[in-house]
Amino acid sequence: MHWNDSKNFISKLTSRKLRNAASVYSSYRYSSFTRNTQIRGLPISLSIEPTTSCNLRCPECPSGLRSFTRPTGMMPMDVYEKTILELSPTLMYLILYFQGEPYLHPEFFQMISLASGNDIYTATSTNGHYLNGENAKTTVSSGLDRLIISVDGTTQETYENYRIGGNLEKVLEGARQVVSWKKQMQSPTPHLVFQFLVVKQNEHQLSELQQIAKDIGIDQVTFKTAQIYNYKNGSDLIPTQDRYARYRQLGNGKWELKNDLEDRCWKMWHSSVVTWDGKIVPCCFDKDAKHQLGSMTNNTFEDIWNGVEYNNFRRSLFQSRKSIDICQNCTEGTKIFA
């Protein structure tokens, strides 16, 4: 985090949140050492999925491909409110995004305001096509702490190679309007991030994006490695710059994940995901919600978090993480606060 963003995050912390974080961390360390699953406390961070709907057709995204094996829909506000009100005393970080375009949810700004009003650091990730004048203004006034805008190219040609159906200038103009409203309202938030998904077709434009971001007044630029579903035979999307590739090529021409997948995962102790219909899944790699651990429609989050199914899943990580389907393309989980 940048300094002003860090100060904002720290300002939302309480002694109860810090005690909860200490409990979560200590139980993870104990479990990793003993291989005996123990969970204390509630998640530090949470992803909530406002919707699975999306306006674009990105080639490595289930929303874009319209390839979900689960229903598409919008999260009911009662499910959202129940989740936020239960977890707000201990939750440090909320990201209103999992799959889909969050700005399509008709009550998206109410979602932000409820979380912000309960002193939760709140972020979202968007493809930026709905940051028009009124939405840009409301984004700033809603209390959103961090806005991540996907900008995967500096020309329309490279941008639409991945963001199929997208319009780069519309996204950049939306970003300019958010910056303008921040200035007019003298608001330090949201912290604005341009996220650049590095693929072979745009990897030559990294420095160009940094200059564009600087010219607009964006606070931060991040470069993200691309997840490829069928990576073993290679892909035209895998960049040639090794530092931005999740995969490496073997001598036989096949590809493998760089991550060694140790038999443990910090994410299973500090975070969780709630789908639009209230299902709890272990992490953001479970895009089709295959590993449903409970539902907010008929349980409390705490009961699910401490339940048999969740702990059985945590225990399975210690046995063989490589055998779990959603872990087989994962680049996260072995580092704490990476």
Side-chain angles (χ1 to χ4, degrees):
M1 289 185 177
H2 290 203
W3 174 236
N4 287 334
D5 189 39
S6 298
K7 285 196 298 183
N8 180 38
F9 176 78
I10 292 169
S11 72
K12 296 175 184 291
L13 298 181
T14 63
S15 59
R16 183 171 176 183
K17 290 182 181 182
L18 292 171
R19 288 196 304 271
N20 176 72
S23 294
V24 171
Y25 176 73
S26 62
S27 66
Y28 170 70
R29 297 298 296 181
Y30 172 84
S31 298
S32 297
F33 180 74
T34 64
R35 302 288 164 165
N36 180 26
T37 303
Q38 179 194 86
I39 186 72
R40 288 188 288 114
L42 289 166
I44 299 167
S45 63
L46 186 71
S47 294
I48 289 182
E49 178 180 67
T51 181
T52 44
S53 299
C54 190
N55 55 307
L56 302 186
R57 301 297 297 265
C58 304
E60 291 291 328
C61 172
S63 291
L65 294 171
R66 314 310 194 247
S67 64
F68 282 118
T69 58
R70 60 185 174 103
T72 294
M74 303 277 180
M75 175 171 274
M77 280 300 290
D78 61 336
V79 174
Y80 177 76
E81 289 171 358
K82 177 185 177 183
T83 306
I84 293 299
L85 294 179
E86 180 184 350
L87 294 179
S88 61
T90 52
L91 190 63
M92 292 183 173
Y93 191 103
L94 171 69
I95 181 161
L96 282 168
Y97 172 76
F98 175 30
Q99 300 299 300
E101 170 51 52
Y103 276 81
L104 288 173
H105 195 290
E107 296 173 292
F108 179 57
F109 293 120
Q110 290 94 312
M111 289 179 160
I112 296 171
S113 296
L114 180 64
S116 177
N118 279 277
D119 289 327
I120 303 169
Y121 183 97
T122 305
T124 195
S125 180
T126 176
N127 61 46
H129 284 77
Y130 297 95
L131 296 174
N132 54 39
E134 193 59 35
N135 277 353
K137 180 181 179 181
T138 310
T139 294
V140 176
S141 64
S142 67
L144 184 69
D145 295 294
R146 172 175 287 235
L147 177 63
I148 302 166
I149 305 171
S150 295
V151 184
D152 305 325
T154 61
T155 63
Q156 178 62 25
E157 180 182 7
T158 54
Y159 174 80
E160 67 182 352
N161 179 74
Y162 189 82
R163 298 287 167 182
I164 297 172
N167 184 306
L168 176 61
E169 183 50 40
K170 187 174 184 178
V171 175
L172 297 180
E173 178 56 28
R176 293 186 192 102
Q177 291 194 36
V178 175
V179 171
S180 176
W181 279 113
K182 282 182 65 177
K183 291 177 180 177
Q184 290 182 57
M185 300 170 74
Q186 297 183 326
S187 175
T189 58
H191 181 77
L192 297 175
V193 180
F194 269 1
Q195 181 172 272
F196 191 93
L197 186 71
V198 183
V199 293
K200 185 182 294 185
Q201 292 78 9
N202 67 16
E203 62 180 328
H204 61 290
Q205 296 181 332
L206 306 185
S207 60
E208 293 175 19
L209 181 75
Q210 290 176 314
Q211 186 59 52
I212 290 172
K214 182 179 179 180
D215 292 342
I216 292 175
I218 299 301
D219 300 304
Q220 184 179 356
V221 174
T222 62
F223 299 118
K224 183 180 179 181
T225 59
Q227 177 185 357
I228 310 297
Y229 281 103
N230 299 310
Y231 63 84
K232 292 184 179 179
N233 291 317
S235 167
D236 289 338
L237 294 173
I238 298 176
T240 60
Q241 297 182 54
D242 184 66
R243 66 179 297 189
Y244 297 117
R246 296 190 185 193
Y247 314 96
R248 57 187 167 217
Q249 192 168 23
L250 303 173
N252 61 4
K254 297 291 185 180
W255 293 74
E256 70 174 5
L257 189 71
K258 289 179 180 177
N259 191 356
D260 292 331
L261 291 181
E262 298 178 31
D263 290 333
R264 59 193 177 110
C265 182
W266 167 230
K267 271 183 170 288
M268 292 306 100
W269 271 256
H270 84 79
S271 64
S272 189
V273 176
V274 186
T275 65
W276 72 266
D277 51 355
K279 303 294 191 303
I280 307 299
V281 298
C283 81
C284 60
F285 281 88
D286 192 6
K287 294 178 171 59
D288 264 315
K290 294 179 180 178
H291 299 271
Q292 295 180 14
L293 305 171
S295 174
M296 288 300 296
T297 58
N298 50 26
N299 290 102
T300 66
F301 188 94
E302 185 172 8
D303 284 344
I304 298 167
W305 181 249
N306 293 309
V308 173
E309 289 187 49
Y310 222 132
N311 278 319
N312 283 344
F313 189 87
R314 293 185 183 102
R315 192 172 295 110
S316 69
L317 295 165
F318 293 137
Q319 296 165 356
S320 177
R321 190 171 166 213
K322 291 181 179 179
S323 66
I324 302 171
D325 56 348
I326 63 170
C327 297
Q328 291 168 5
N329 204 352
C330 177
T331 55
E332 303 180 51
T334 58
K335 293 182 180 179
I336 297 173
F337 296 120

